[in-house]
Amino acid sequence: MRKKFMAVLLSVCIVSVFCAGCGQKEEAPAAENVAVEAETDQEAKADQETETGEGTQEIAMVIDHGGSIDDKSFNQGTWEGIKAYADANGKAYQYYQSMEDSDEEYLNSFELAINAGAKIIIGPSYMFETAIYKAQDMYPDVYFMIIDGRPQAGDDATYTTADNTYSVIYAEEQAGFLAGYAAVKDGYRKLGFLGGMAVPAVVRFGYGFVQGADYAAAELGLSAGEVEISYAYTGNFDATPDNQNKAASWYQAGTEVIFACGGAVGQSVFAAAEANNGKAIGVDVDQSGDSDTVITSSVKQLEVTVKAALEDYYAGNFPGGVDATLGVESDGVGLVMDNARFENFTQDDYDAIYAAMKENTDGILDGILKDADAESADQLPVTYVSVKVME
Amino acid sequence: MKIRGFFEKESTLSVLGSVCAVISGLLISFIILLFSDSSNALAGFGSILLGGFNGGLKGIGNVIFQAIPIIMTGLAVALAFRTGVFNIGTAGQFIMGAFTAVFIGVKWTFLPAGIHWIAALLGGFIAGAVWAFVPAVLHAHFQVNAVVSAIMMNYVGMYTANYLITNTVYNAAKNQSKAVAATAVAPKAGMNVLFPGSSLNAGIIVVILVVIILQVLISKTVFGYEIKACGMNRQASLYAGISAKKRLVQSFMFSGGLAGLGGALAYLAGDGKCISVVDVLAGDGFTGIAVALLGLNSPVGALLAGLLISYLEVGGFYTQVYKYPVEIIDITIAVIVYFGAFAVLVKGMIRKLLQRKGGKE
Amino acid sequence: MEYAVQLKQITKRFPGVIANDCVDLSVKKGEIHALLGENGAGKSTLMSILFGLYQADAGEIWINEKKVQIKNPGDANRLGIGMVHQHFMLIHNFTVLENIILGVETVSKGFLKMDAARERVQALSKQYGLNVDIEAYVEDISVGMQQRVEILKMLYKDNDILIFDEPTAVLTPQEIQDLMKILKKLAAEGKSIILITHKLNEIKEAADRCSVLRRGRYIGTVDVAEASREELSEMMVGHKIELHLEKNEAHPAGCALEVKDLVVKSRFSNKNLLDHVSFQAREGEITCIAGIEGNGQSELAYAIAGLLPVSGGQIILDGEDVTDKSVRYRNLKGLAHIPEDRQRYGLVLPFNLGENMVLKQYFMPDFQKHGFLRHSEIQKYTEQKIEEFDIRAGRGTQTTAGSMSGGNQQKAIIAREIGLDRKVLIAVQPTRGIDVGAAEYIHKQLLAQRDAGKAVLLISLELDEVMDISDRILVMYEGEIVGDLQPEKITVQELGLYMAGSKRGNTR
């Protein structure tokens, strides 16, 4: 027993010896560099990076333990927004992955970012709600931005967005509405909505989708029940054979287009669409590149939002204390039209409905119900659409 | 001659093997740092070596805190190894333990403060043990390879936990389990004074207790004697009249219980630590295998190996300042484990070297 | 004088041991040269060096008066060196002929040319009186015949230095006789033969000269005709030993173990490994089960010990039917068991000597209290046994069993089993792979147990052992008991006929 103990002990000792050697060299600059002022021109930044590579990464993004920077979704969208702004304006930026998913660890990540010179920290997930709630008071000189969440004390009841924090959520129901509208306008009559888990954001997408389809059917003067929507949540956010089978069975039963709304569930739906000659609608970011079956994507303009927030911050008017819900009014949500594969639905059609929603013509925008407004999708007050909720 | 004797001793060679493994892992991580961005390689490497010390006392506290679950799963794997079974099912046992602990933590609020946490821990232990029961019985009585059935139980565990969470203690808004009641959160037990600012809690006391219990169990008790005999020579244990099947099931369940306890400790830490409902196997379960390998399957070894791995992970976290992704640490740990497995080879090489030298004398 | 093989100052080291330390060996052309030594004396290592399986760390090899390098068995073959290993290297579903030409096939346009080969093999077989049916499949012929196939393989390759590694271990007495004749014939035809063995009878019978190795060192070479067995064994062991045991008369008492109609079925075929075996073992008597390896003796021991499920019959231990009882129950009821495979069954090799010594007693109050082992008691008990049975272990009770020599491992098992003080002692091949000195000691212990009134059931493949120490011999052939004999009343040759299945006596 003892020899094994010794084995590990010795290895630990060796490591600590290494540490003692390197420690002295490294500790000094770390402290110093926090104080180093940001330099705005490109050259200075390059110098900084080659010399120390730390201390001036004033734009920081934090990602959760399980996430990755190239997730083709929230993290990536946010990161690209940061990159677009920072590269154009010569700012250094960096992302920090947390060691695990807990508030304490997120706070550690913030601390690390701040020690490395972060002035503004962006957390692109509701997971950071409580950590940012605490951090906004702990670091009053640092600015925070949370996307898809509101800072709260961890009890889902006490919400406070301090003056150094900007909180953004998106009006998913509006994005969903546009998708449903465009699908019916393009000529589809048998629609499907396959959500991930029934979390509020996904539900809002789904409800909007149903209502948008109904709105288009009314416009086209279709008869009641002429548009059918199969509606379900998979209960996960993954690409699984199960999800693919479900989508495939819908296509085989005549569904023409499925709005795939749940992270990697989309991959399952796309695969099923390819095998069954069906169509699909993507979500969150432009997914037209993932499959030729994707006719459009119902997106949140993360890149735009992040870039705008950074511009505001550097212009000296950071929207601190604001709880924003970004919808069509601020171009926060929309459909992908550049890479769209519609047959009848044109850019003009899109512009028209977008403008109508922006101006709330006939109360169209206010009329869209959200997640809390109906028990389930088939309880929504629609006339032209018949919704079939599958288990 | 004395020095040669020292080097020829099995124990010394084991130590050297482990040390070589750690050094090789670090060297390779340095090479990767050099290749990906040479300008920061030294600084980044320094930060890896500095590990938990990057964050001072708080950092060390966090190293220990992060090590808690992986030490437990490491102990689980090590114990099972002793009976000659590879418990690769720690991920499933871990998550079932975690769920049960969280369930008790959320629902059984009628329990008084001191008891609630302990009840939740016990629940986690039992759930892990129950989860190990299936592969254990299949292995002992029906000659079903424990590796295969345990891997399958990992997936069953993952989906079962997800199902149970969504139906009992679900926070739909965040797609994760609800936060446990304050009475079920691990007490700090003065750890916040020792390591100010860190997340460390009384969980480490539980871990140390378990290490001591296991060490005593394995080396001092009849039960330990029997499971060692089963693990080292099944035939001889049968010959000695030991009911090997029974011992195998018992120790496998005990091993599963330890993994479950690890899950419980991990998710009763408070601080917004909740079980995410995702279709991903619990990584801490698999890290346990590395911990056990590196710790040479001894309880104290697992404790130290868990601390080492956690130390490196914290170092990797700080290395992000130099724009290196945290995955560098995963590579480092993987290399260490690989070389740990090659320790036998290293031992042989050292022996040969000594012999050649000896021949010339 | 012409030498076929000369090994000069060969040294070979393995981690921790020197297997050969400046060993010399000279084999004349046309002689049968015995290489004698105990297990672990370095005989096999030396021959492996000659055959190219190992490289010597130092020393020279001369073949036919020329210095050569032998880097692999291919080199050895080209120099005319052939070897018959203890375990034959034959392909079972090939015919004898196919096995013989394997690797040296004569081919024409991609097709095998069997006819020329067949003629040559037949001629060789005739020339040396081997009488092998060359069209038979190897799996259908006896072990003795298979050995002749190995010999033919060497002859076919024109080898004239032939190494035999313990060739008689697997043979019946009749087959041994035949082999000796063949060896002599080969030598007479000019082949040089090296015979590795530790059986003095064979050396006396066949060999011209004999070289002795002891613990890796070369002791000397003698003319067999001029050396007595006692001298040879003294050279081998290093001290005088008694070749014949003084044995008192047995005083058999009541029946301690009875086996009735015991049947064990094979897992792989519907053959019975034990076919209605019945016998009694009495107190104060050594009952010996003799037979050629693989005729059900191992199964019998495992079935009695409870390690192998039986499909019929009864095992009655000290008057109680224990057929369905656990291993531990039988152990406690009165069974001690020296198992056939000491490393697989008898010892937990990574455990230390103390832990192994209490393998069947650790749960008794003497050695545990409230579930905790009493290490000091275990140590005391083990030290006592080390003393009593003269077990040589480098670090005393703490010595890892795996690091002990075979003989000492066996002594440890015997100390443990005798220490149990049970009514019945089953000893399966207790002296296999053990040097003569240790074997003599073990035999004395078995006799002492008998005289102490225990029922000893000895299962052995060694004819000398069977004849020397048993009071009664049961011969097993293909799962049945075919003979119940008195050692004083039969000859080795007769016993051999029973073992080969060609004779059956009255059995109870």
Side-chain angles (χ1 to χ4, degrees):
Chain A
M1 210 76 351
R2 182 181 295 145
K3 67 184 178 190
K4 293 179 177 170
F5 170 83
M6 282 301 298
V8 184
L9 188 69
L10 221 99
S11 38
V12 172
C13 286
I14 295 269
V15 176
S16 1
V17 170
F18 269 116
C19 297
C22 303
Q24 286 167 336
K25 212 168 51 201
E26 296 305 328
E27 261 167 288
E32 243 170 54
N33 278 337
V34 181
V36 172
E37 270 302 306
E39 312 225 6
T40 39
D41 64 305
Q42 207 80 31
E43 225 179 12
K45 176 200 156 219
D47 279 351
Q48 285 288 345
E49 276 204 344
T50 41
E51 273 175 31
T52 63
E54 68 168 279
T56 55
Q57 274 112 24
E58 47 187 69
I59 305 173
M61 171 180 158
V62 177
I63 60 180
D64 57 283
H65 177 64
S68 74
I69 199 69
D70 46 5
D71 60 356
K72 292 188 177 168
S73 182
F74 261 66
N75 290 340
Q76 191 168 355
T78 306
W79 185 238
E80 272 160 13
I82 294 172
K83 250 165 60 181
Y85 177 82
D87 286 346
N89 296 283
K91 304 290 181 195
Y93 53 96
Q94 169 67 344
Y95 73 88
Y96 303 92
Q97 183 155 24
S98 300
M99 285 200 56
E100 64 171 34
D101 291 324
S102 72
D103 299 336
E104 200 67 35
E105 279 307 323
Y106 297 148
L107 281 170
N108 280 337
S109 301
F110 295 162
E111 188 188 330
L112 180 66
I114 290 163
N115 283 342
K119 295 177 169 180
I120 177 165
I121 297 176
I122 302 172
S125 168
Y126 59 78
M127 299 177 90
F128 300 110
E129 283 178 348
T130 306
I132 286 186
Y133 177 87
K134 291 180 183 167
Q136 60 191 3
D137 293 340
M138 287 166 69
Y139 307 104
D141 298 335
V142 178
Y143 290 85
F144 293 92
M145 176 177 181
I146 178 164
I147 304 173
D148 227 21
R150 301 275 191 241
Q152 52 116 339
D155 51 5
D156 295 318
T158 319
Y159 287 90
T160 309
T161 304
D163 286 345
N164 55 339
T165 302
Y166 175 37
S167 158
V168 171
I169 62 173
Y170 290 94
E172 285 95 356
E173 71 280 2
Q174 296 178 14
F177 185 93
L178 284 166
Y181 179 84
V184 172
K185 280 292 240 185
D186 200 42
Y188 297 103
R189 295 295 177 263
K190 290 191 161 183
L191 278 50
F193 173 81
L194 195 56
M197 309 197 72
V199 297
V202 171
V203 175
R204 286 199 290 270
F205 265 119
Y207 286 8
F209 184 69
V210 172
Q211 296 171 75
D214 191 58
Y215 192 86
E219 250 184 36
L220 291 170
L222 303 180
S223 52
E226 203 174 329
V227 174
E228 292 169 22
I229 299 182
S230 305
Y231 193 103
Y233 303 104
T234 61
N236 59 53
F237 288 110
D238 306 301
T240 67
D242 251 14
N243 294 345
Q244 189 171 333
N245 286 342
K246 180 171 264 176
S249 71
W250 285 12
Y251 284 123
Q252 280 154 16
T255 302
E256 297 157 331
V257 60
I258 296 177
F259 180 22
C261 186
V265 172
Q267 304 307 322
S268 298
V269 173
F270 301 160
E274 283 164 14
N276 293 282
N277 210 12
K279 299 289 179 199
I281 298 173
V283 77
D284 282 348
V285 294
D286 182 4
Q287 294 184 301
S288 59
D290 289 358
S291 167
D292 289 342
T293 61
V294 177
I295 54 173
T296 186
S297 302
S298 170
V299 298
K300 302 172 179 178
Q301 305 287 10
L302 288 162
E303 219 179 304
V304 176
T305 311
V306 170
K307 207 172 151 201
L310 288 172
E311 271 160 7
D312 286 348
Y313 167 72
Y314 282 102
N317 41 26
F318 182 74
V322 173
D323 285 336
T325 304
L326 299 183
V328 290
E329 306 96 321
S330 49
D331 297 331
V333 296
L335 290 184
V336 172
M337 291 304 289
D338 295 346
N339 300 321
R341 299 182 180 96
F342 287 123
E343 288 181 1
N344 305 312
F345 189 71
T346 62
Q347 181 73 40
D348 290 342
D349 294 337
Y350 178 69
D351 291 344
I353 183 69
Y354 207 85
M357 285 171 77
K358 259 191 174 177
E359 276 148 36
N360 197 12
T361 315
D362 302 331
I364 165 177
L365 194 62
D366 295 342
I368 304 175
L369 300 178
K370 300 183 192 171
D371 55 307
D373 298 335
E375 276 287 307
S376 75
D378 50 10
Q379 308 278 309
L380 289 165
V382 289
T383 37
Y384 304 97
V385 173
S386 76
V387 178
K388 207 160 56 187
V389 175
M390 329 285 255
E391 25 111 28
Chain B
M1 202 56 216
K2 233 179 187 174
I3 295 171
R4 273 191 66 200
F6 172 74
F7 274 104
E8 274 170 3
K9 255 168 102 181
E10 198 60 27
S11 52
T12 326
L13 289 176
S14 297
V15 175
L16 282 177
S18 294
V19 171
C20 286
V22 172
I23 292 175
S24 319
L26 290 172
L27 277 181
I28 288 183
S29 74
F30 182 58
I31 290 167
I32 295 170
L33 291 181
L34 270 177
F35 268 96
S36 52
D37 176 8
S38 56
S39 60
N40 285 325
L42 261 182
F45 190 56
S47 159
I48 290 178
L49 291 180
L50 211 50
F53 290 108
N54 280 302
L57 269 183
K58 176 184 170 184
I60 291 304
N62 280 338
V63 166
I64 302 172
F65 174 69
Q66 300 284 352
I68 291 174
I70 59 174
I71 293 172
M72 290 306 300
T73 51
L75 290 171
V77 176
L79 177 69
F81 261 133
R82 284 304 179 92
T83 40
V85 188
F86 184 23
N87 181 5
I88 200 172
T90 41
Q93 294 143 14
F94 181 88
I95 201 68
M96 288 311 289
F99 162 73
T100 309
V102 166
F103 180 86
I104 293 172
V106 172
K107 298 274 182 178
W108 293 10
T109 41
F110 53 85
L111 291 171
I115 311 262
H116 196 180
W117 179 58
I118 292 174
L121 288 185
L122 279 177
F125 181 88
I126 292 167
V130 167
W131 216 247
F133 178 74
V134 176
V137 166
L138 287 176
H139 180 77
H141 293 275
F142 302 99
Q143 282 83 44
V144 176
N145 191 325
V147 171
V148 176
S149 54
I151 288 179
M152 293 200 281
M153 286 303 281
N154 278 342
Y155 287 94
V156 180
M158 175 185 81
Y159 289 118
T160 307
N162 285 352
Y163 175 81
L164 291 173
I165 290 167
T166 44
N167 284 287
T168 54
V169 288
Y170 190 42
N171 177 350
K174 296 188 176 176
N175 186 29
Q176 64 185 24
S177 63
K178 282 182 187 155
V180 296
T183 44
V185 171
K188 284 289 179 189
M191 293 299 164
N192 47 348
V193 181
L194 273 172
F195 302 98
S198 81
S199 315
L200 190 58
N201 57 42
I204 188 60
I205 298 173
V206 175
V207 169
I208 291 172
L209 275 177
V210 170
V211 168
I212 294 171
I213 290 172
L214 276 186
Q215 196 77 49
V216 170
L217 187 85
I218 289 175
S219 58
K220 303 262 185 233
T221 66
V222 168
F223 181 76
Y225 179 91
E226 293 189 337
I227 64 168
K228 274 190 291 183
C230 293
M232 291 163 175
N233 188 340
R234 180 72 47 82
Q235 268 89 14
S237 72
L238 290 171
Y239 161 81
I242 297 169
S243 34
K245 289 177 181 174
K246 209 154 114 197
R247 287 288 168 267
L248 203 139
V249 172
Q250 285 167 343
S251 59
F252 203 117
M253 285 180 71
F254 192 9
S255 160
L258 293 176
L261 185 57
L265 287 168
Y267 287 97
L268 293 176
D271 292 330
K273 179 99 171 138
C274 297
I275 310 173
S276 295
V277 179
V278 287
D279 289 353
V280 177
L281 292 175
D284 286 342
F286 291 109
T287 311
I289 297 168
V291 170
L293 277 173
L294 205 59
L296 305 171
N297 294 326
S298 94
V300 176
L303 175 74
L304 294 175
L307 288 172
L308 174 73
I309 287 181
S310 172
Y311 182 90
L312 290 172
E313 274 178 349
V314 171
F317 172 71
Y318 286 103
T319 312
Q320 292 187 100
V321 170
Y322 303 98
K323 297 210 160 201
Y324 293 111
V326 288
E327 281 81 1
I328 186 84
I329 290 308
D330 296 338
I331 298 175
T332 310
I333 292 167
V335 172
I336 290 177
V337 172
Y338 265 120
F339 279 85
F342 284 143
V344 186
L345 207 86
V346 177
K347 275 193 235 172
M349 269 155 41
I350 295 172
R351 258 203 216 107
K352 216 166 195 179
L353 207 80
L354 286 169
Q355 255 171 33
R356 199 168 296 161
K357 265 190 165 172
K360 279 177 192 159
E361 270 166 21
Chain C
M1 184 59 63
E2 232 188 316
Y3 287 106
V5 178
Q6 284 165 291
L7 300 177
K8 298 182 178 175
Q9 298 290 301
I10 297 287
T11 298
K12 176 72 188 171
R13 288 188 202 87
F14 291 111
V17 284
I18 299 179
N20 289 148
D21 188 1
C22 299
V23 174
D24 291 312
L25 180 72
S26 301
V27 179
K28 292 178 194 163
K29 278 207 172 139
E31 75 165 341
I32 299 179
H33 194 110
L35 188 56
L36 177 67
E38 296 180 351
N39 278 42
K43 297 169 299 200
S44 293
T45 306
L46 190 65
M47 286 305 107
S48 298
I49 289 168
L50 178 58
F51 195 57
L53 293 170
Y54 292 138
Q55 302 297 304
D57 294 331
E60 295 174 356
I61 303 175
W62 292 61
I63 300 292
N64 297 328
E65 319 265 313
K66 263 184 241 143
K67 190 181 167 188
V68 296
Q69 294 279 333
I70 303 177
K71 292 213 158 66
N72 52 53
D75 288 348
N77 234 316
R78 276 187 286 282
L79 291 163
I81 304 170
M83 185 160 175
V84 177
H85 298 267
Q86 252 185 60
H87 300 282
F88 303 146
M89 312 279 179
L90 295 173
I91 299 172
H92 279 211
N93 52 355
F94 273 22
T95 64
V96 170
L97 180 63
E98 285 165 343
N99 267 290
I100 290 170
I101 64 167
L102 191 68
V104 286
E105 303 91 347
T106 43
V107 181
S108 150
K109 294 173 189 157
F111 288 95
L112 281 173
K113 282 176 65 187
M114 299 294 267
D115 291 343
R118 182 175 290 117
E119 263 168 45
R120 213 179 132 220
V121 172
Q122 238 142 16
L124 284 170
S125 174
K126 205 170 208 172
Q127 183 185 351
Y128 294 98
L130 296 177
N131 290 325
V132 180
D133 173 6
I134 64 171
E135 301 298 344
Y137 285 91
V138 165
E139 60 196 353
D140 296 333
I141 63 179
S142 71
V143 175
M145 278 297 165
Q146 290 180 11
Q147 191 171 55
R148 294 184 190 185
V149 177
E150 287 281 3
I151 296 171
L152 268 177
K153 264 166 80 177
M154 295 191 296
L155 297 174
Y156 186 75
K157 289 174 190 164
D158 290 324
N159 293 153
D160 38 42
I161 298 166
L162 312 180
I163 307 169
F164 289 84
D165 190 1
E166 306 255 5
T168 58
V170 289
L171 302 181
T172 63
Q174 279 72 25
E175 286 174 327
I176 293 173
Q177 289 297 326
D178 295 341
L179 177 68
M180 292 302 149
K181 276 184 206 143
I182 293 168
L183 292 183
K184 284 176 187 163
K185 180 124 192 186
L186 288 167
E189 299 272 338
K191 307 282 183 193
S192 312
I193 291 169
I194 303 177
L195 180 65
I196 305 176
T197 186
H198 60 252
K199 292 182 182 163
L200 302 175
N201 292 344
E202 293 161 15
I203 294 173
K204 284 302 278 183
E205 185 175 344
D208 302 311
R209 294 196 306 153
C210 174
S211 293
V212 182
L213 295 186
R214 188 166 75 224
R215 290 182 194 161
R217 284 173 197 276
Y218 172 68
I219 302 300
T221 300
V222 292
D223 276 331
V224 172
E226 288 160 21
S228 71
R229 288 180 197 205
E230 282 70 22
E231 280 165 354
L232 285 174
S233 64
E234 201 180 324
M235 280 176 86
M236 170 164 77
V237 182
H239 54 86
K240 277 200 194 321
I241 57 162
E242 298 168 44
L243 285 178
H244 287 286
L245 282 168
E246 290 302 318
K247 199 170 92 177
N248 305 327
E249 203 174 317
H251 301 288
C255 165
L257 171 73
E258 182 172 10
V259 172
K260 275 190 194 165
D261 258 342
L262 197 65
V263 176
V264 170
K265 286 207 158 71
S266 165
R267 280 173 64 191
F268 307 106
S269 66
N270 39 22
K271 205 177 117 190
N272 283 341
L273 297 173
L274 290 183
D275 197 359
H276 300 279
V277 171
S278 302
F279 68 89
Q280 289 189 342
R282 285 176 297 176
E283 290 168 16
E285 186 177 61
I286 295 183
T287 309
C288 180
I289 309 274
I292 298 168
E293 188 158 12
N295 277 291
Q297 307 97 304
S298 310
E299 287 77 11
L300 179 63
Y302 288 136
I304 294 172
L307 291 163
L308 190 69
V310 301
S311 27
Q314 278 181 305
I315 297 160
I316 295 155
L317 184 60
D318 197 17
E320 187 184 337
D321 185 348
V322 295
T323 319
D324 298 320
K325 301 290 187 193
S326 71
V327 176
R328 176 150 302 169
Y329 186 90
R330 298 177 203 213
N331 288 349
L332 294 174
K333 176 76 189 159
L335 195 67
H337 177 198
I338 299 164
E340 175 178 356
D341 190 331
R342 58 176 168 265
Q343 303 201 333
R344 254 183 82 207
Y345 278 92
L347 296 168
V348 180
L349 293 180
F351 270 6
N352 65 35
L353 183 54
E355 288 167 318
N356 271 300
M357 199 53 82
V358 294
L359 195 58
K360 286 184 173 174
Q361 285 171 292
Y362 65 90
F363 51 88
M364 310 286 276
D366 284 354
F367 300 112
Q368 64 101 13
K369 201 174 177 184
H370 309 308
F372 285 83
L373 292 173
R374 299 169 70 181
H375 281 291
S376 60
E377 296 300 319
I378 293 172
Q379 184 151 351
K380 228 182 277 169
Y381 177 77
T382 309
E383 274 162 6
Q384 185 197 324
K385 292 291 161 197
I386 290 177
E387 181 79 33
E388 197 179 328
F389 286 82
D390 187 31
I391 302 166
R392 313 260 169 86
R395 292 168 54 226
T397 59
Q398 299 302 312
T399 315
T400 311
S403 70
M404 290 163 46
S405 74
N408 282 302
Q409 289 180 348
Q410 189 71 346
K411 276 187 183 171
I413 293 173
I414 285 163
R416 180 182 71 211
E417 298 304 316
I418 288 177
L420 290 172
D421 194 25
R422 300 284 192 251
K423 267 204 168 129
V424 178
L425 173 64
I426 303 178
V428 188
Q429 299 198 54
T431 57
R432 172 148 89 172
I434 303 245
D435 60 58
V436 179
E440 176 202 5
Y441 179 82
I442 288 167
H443 287 156
K444 279 186 180 162
Q445 290 296 333
L446 292 180
L447 284 170
Q449 286 298 300
R450 179 197 76 168
D451 294 341
K454 313 286 183 198
V456 178
L457 183 66
L458 171 69
I459 296 182
S460 176
L461 304 176
E462 305 268 342
L463 281 180
D464 293 345
E465 184 170 87
V466 172
M467 295 298 280
D468 279 359
I469 73 165
S470 56
D471 299 315
R472 187 175 144 218
I473 301 171
L474 303 172
V475 184
M476 279 194 84
Y477 177 72
E478 297 204 330
E480 284 180 78
I481 292 186
V482 295
D484 184 348
L485 314 165
Q486 303 292 316
E488 313 85 58
K489 294 183 184 160
I490 56 157
T491 63
V492 174
Q493 278 67 28
E494 253 181 291
L495 183 57
L497 291 175
Y498 279 98
M499 286 165 68
S502 47
K503 198 168 175 187
R504 273 168 186 265
N506 291 330
T507 57
R508 269 174 276 174

